[in-house]
Amino acid sequence: MKLSPANLGIEIDGLISHLISMGICDDQNFTSIKEISKNKFEITFGGSNNLSAIFDDIDYVQIYQGLKENKSYNMKLIDGALVQLMYSIENNELIKHRLAFYPSPELLAFQDSADAYIQDDLYVDIVGRRIIPFPLRFDFDPNNHIDIIHPKSHLTLGDAKNCRIPLSAPVTPYWFIEFILRNFYQTEKYDFISKLPKQKVAFSTTITDNEKNIIHMVTP
């Protein structure tokens, strides 16, 4: 399907609706399409104006709390994790995206206590944590591309400023949500992936030959 602000918005909102119906999303901001200038649009969400917390030199707990209090997310998942999807399009071509996942620093990981979340739909206080929550982010930022050092499309883990793992292409809403569900929520008992609404858009390859020669990730 042709890339357009409307089609991206439809794909994101369809994924949000599906996660709500599955009981894994308990708060949401559906997409907001903003016209920045002629033929240039941002596909974002209602709380995207309250993102200043992510740029402050503060610890992760404060960053998370700031985003949560300002409802700066597309989805808040049942374990408290926050999901953000932001795309910029000009002349129906992707020029930027920022896709972020912020696990809750307070609640048990879903995979460690899936039955408690699904059956009771309660926020479980942390008792003993076996993982250290950290954010991850998929960025597409071709204007700042430097071969290998700053790939056009890349994955950043935690808040490491120089962590930019090359990706073969930008990430669609479908594959971002599929990645989050498969790696952090899917269990033998609970299947959140097989009935996900199929993607409506696709992106072209952007990785360079030099970036292919180092460890990188291939996006479908």
Side-chain angles (χ1 to χ4, degrees):
M1 184 177 289
K2 181 180 178 181
L3 179 62
S4 70
N7 288 339
L8 261 178
I10 290 170
E11 180 165 327
I12 294 170
D13 286 347
L15 291 163
I16 294 172
S17 296
H18 178 75
L19 268 62
I20 293 170
S21 70
M22 295 292 290
I24 196 169
C25 172
D26 66 5
D27 192 27
Q28 69 287 322
N29 287 307
F30 287 100
T31 54
S32 171
I33 299 177
K34 301 177 182 179
E35 186 171 6
I36 306 304
S37 59
K38 185 178 180 180
N39 297 322
K40 184 176 181 180
F41 298 86
E42 285 186 356
I43 299 87
T44 179
F45 49 88
S48 62
N49 293 330
N50 301 316
L51 291 176
S52 59
I54 64 174
F55 302 110
D56 293 339
D57 187 17
I58 57 178
D59 65 31
Y60 180 61
V61 173
Q62 292 175 288
I63 291 173
Y64 172 87
Q65 289 297 337
L67 296 173
K68 181 181 176 182
E69 290 171 5
N70 289 310
K71 291 179 65 72
S72 296
Y73 50 78
N74 290 87
M75 290 181 276
K76 180 168 72 69
L77 304 185
I78 197 170
D79 62 347
L82 309 179
V83 178
Q84 299 174 337
L85 299 96
M86 292 174 280
Y87 290 85
S88 296
I89 291 178
E90 188 169 13
N91 295 316
N92 288 329
E93 291 189 5
L94 181 69
I95 58 173
K96 194 170 186 177
H97 75 48
R98 184 182 184 282
L99 314 174
F101 176 67
Y102 293 90
S104 169
E106 301 171 341
L107 303 181
L108 292 171
F110 180 89
Q111 288 175 319
D112 291 338
S113 56
D115 286 336
Y117 287 113
I118 292 294
Q119 293 176 6
D120 300 325
D121 197 19
L122 296 175
Y123 294 103
V124 181
D125 290 335
I126 184 168
V127 176
R129 226 181 151 97
R130 294 192 295 274
I131 62 170
I132 299 174
F134 64 91
L136 61 85
R137 193 178 72 245
F138 292 95
D139 286 326
F140 177 63
D141 187 14
N143 287 339
N144 290 307
H145 176 244
I146 301 174
D147 197 23
I148 295 180
I149 296 172
H150 196 293
K152 292 180 180 179
S153 185
H154 58 268
L155 168 63
T156 296
L157 301 175
D159 59 358
K161 293 182 179 180
N162 294 318
C163 176
R164 300 186 186 97
I165 301 167
L167 303 178
S168 62
V171 180
T172 67
Y174 171 86
W175 284 114
F176 174 59
I177 297 301
E178 201 271 358
F179 176 89
I180 296 301
L181 294 177
R182 179 179 298 279
N183 289 288
F184 302 107
Y185 296 91
Q186 189 85 342
T187 67
E188 292 183 3
K189 186 176 180 181
Y190 297 108
D191 174 17
F192 300 107
I193 295 174
S194 63
K195 294 183 179 180
L196 275 179
K198 297 305 179 183
Q199 69 175 12
K200 299 182 181 301
V201 298
F203 300 131
S204 301
T205 298
T206 58
I207 194 170
T208 67
D209 289 339
N210 287 332
E211 291 162 358
K212 289 178 183 178
N213 289 327
I214 62 176
I215 291 177
H216 63 280
M217 296 176 64
V218 177
T219 59

